Amino acid sequence: MIIDLRSDTVTLPTPEMKEAMFNAKVGDDVFEDDESVNSLESLGASLFGKEAAIYCPSGTMTNQIGIKIHANAPGELICDELSHVYKYEGGGIGFNSGLATKLIKGSAGQITAAQIEAAINPDDIHFPETQIVSIENTCNKGGGTIYDLEELKKIRTLCTNKELKLHLDGARIFNAIVEADYSTKDIGAQFDTISICLSKGLGAPVGSLLLGTKTAIKKARRIRKLFGGGMRQAGFIAAAGTYALENNIERLREDHQRAKTLGESLSSLSYVKKVFPVYTNIVVFEVVDTIDMNVIIEKLNAKNILTVAFGPQQIRLVTHLDFTDDMLTEAIKILKSLN
Ligand SMILES: *Cc1c(COP(=O)(O)O)cnc(C)c1O
């Protein structure tokens, strides 16, 4: 048995999901006549109370399109220093949108309205004009942290007052929503554009949605084509996305429970210096200074537990749809055996 805890992207479609894919009604989505893509887009938009949505091959693409439709280079985007849009999208903010990025040192990937306000450039010809704020919820590099709705509302108000666009990298927004006291509609109301991933915790094989106004999504359609993301009979994969939205949201709580159990088990092990708080489905732990983290990763690997290095002496474990209770028991046994 291989226990793959590298990411929640490693899940394979279940027989039921495959059935939905196999039976999908398809057409040519570049002509906007793929029924399955259209219904996925309507479902995503209506869940969050947005006017429209566009289906894209990846979350990187939905983030980059979301940013590009708000950008008017030269200018600047504000985000936390741990943001995926900044760290893991190949420099796309500069390359695709021609914007500078101003990084804020937040708290585990989360920034406040006050920090954003202080980072907005004054109206001075020396400075790039501040145009966009990007928020990540949950924050991957922050260890799966969840934003407070009150803070998001403050950020919304600030952005409205300062005429800034507000984008959400919601790759794992459903992980936040099942834990927090807010709904998809509450989230929809705070942002100009929202990127959601169907291929993370929700378990679809491919795809992300960008949500926004009709005007924003019309612009996004042009940029998706420019980026090479206009797909044809995409309904086969979109049907998996619809299946995921209809069936796999509530069960994310199970992933969170298993992540908590993993975190608790790790905290008593002699080679573990520290386990970071477990908020959702991401467990990050630090290996003691006397042992090279790579030795632990290799030892786990040899016992069929796959993990990734996450920082200096830090290892990340991510729970997901294909990580069962039996695997949890086995994983804990193996983690303990390295003690
Ligand atoms: C995975 C992820 C994305 C998008 O990644 P793709 O692999 O391009 O789909 C964006 N933001 C965050 C926080 C992510 O974890």
Side-chain angles (χ1 to χ4, degrees), residues 58-61 63 84 89 136 138 140 169 171-172 197 199-200 208:
S58 71
T60 298
M61 192 181 281
N63 277 333
H84 194 282
E89 299 187 9
E136 188 175 315
T138 66
N140 167 39
D169 178 353
R172 296 190 180 82
C197 283
S199 62
K200 296 267 164 86
S208 288

Side-chain angles (χ1 to χ4, degrees), residues 15 20 48 54 74 113 216 319:
F48 286 81
I54 184 166
T319 61

Side-chain angles (χ1 to χ4, degrees), residues 51-277:
E51 286 175 7
I54 184 166
Y55 183 54
C56 292
S58 71
T60 298
M61 192 181 281
T62 42
N63 277 333
Q64 291 299 318
I65 293 176
I67 291 166
K68 192 164 174 63
I69 60 179
H70 301 315
N72 182 16
E76 193 161 80
L77 173 144
I78 294 175
C79 65
D80 183 273
E81 62 180 3
L82 302 179
S83 298
H84 194 282
V85 293
Y86 171 73
K87 280 181 84 78
Y88 301 117
E89 299 187 9
I93 297 169
F95 188 78
N96 296 319
S97 297
L99 297 187
T101 304
K102 186 178 282 178
L103 298 176
I104 298 182
K105 203 178 201 45
S107 164
Q110 302 191 322
I111 52 180
T112 63
Q115 285 179 307
I116 296 166
E117 184 158 23
I120 296 171
N121 285 332
D123 184 10
D124 174 322
I125 58 165
H126 295 86
F127 300 124
E129 181 191 45
T130 307
Q131 297 175 351
I132 306 172
V133 175
S134 180
I135 295 292
E136 188 175 315
N137 191 21
T138 66
C139 180
N140 167 39
K141 193 67 183 159
T145 43
I146 305 171
Y147 264 95
D148 252 20
L149 184 60
E150 286 318 303
E151 197 59 45
L152 293 176
K153 284 183 175 168
K154 282 187 201 157
I155 296 172
R156 169 73 268 168
T157 304
L158 174 72
C159 289
T160 305
N161 292 342
K162 303 285 181 182
E163 294 181 34
L164 306 179
K165 295 292 186 189
L166 182 56
H167 174 74
L168 172 67
D169 178 353
R172 296 190 180 82
I173 189 62
F174 294 105
N175 294 87
I177 285 168
V178 300
E179 289 297 329
D181 56 353
Y182 47 75
S183 66
T184 45
K185 295 274 188 343
D186 291 327
I187 289 296
Q190 313 311 323
F191 295 93
D192 295 294
T193 45
I194 298 176
S195 161
I196 64 171
C197 283
L198 303 162
S199 62
K200 296 267 164 86
L202 294 186
V206 192
S208 288
L209 287 171
L210 180 69
L211 320 174
T213 61
K214 273 187 193 148
T215 316
I217 299 307
K218 186 169 177 219
K219 239 172 137 179
R221 211 165 280 284
R222 181 179 279 278
I223 296 164
R224 184 185 68 174
K225 194 75 182 80
L226 168 75
F227 284 178
M231 298 181 285
R232 302 299 177 173
Q233 284 74 44
F236 290 118
I237 47 176
T242 299
Y243 182 89
L245 285 176
E246 287 174 348
N247 296 281
N248 292 345
I249 295 175
E250 286 303 318
R251 64 149 306 285
L252 290 170
R253 288 179 220 275
E254 297 173 27
D255 298 345
H256 300 172
Q257 192 48 54
R258 290 184 188 114
K260 284 207 171 69
T261 308
L262 268 179
E264 283 157 16
S265 311
L266 280 162
S267 60
S268 62
L269 303 181
S270 64
Y271 59 90
V272 175
K273 183 175 175 185
K274 176 182 180 186
V275 183
F276 289 82

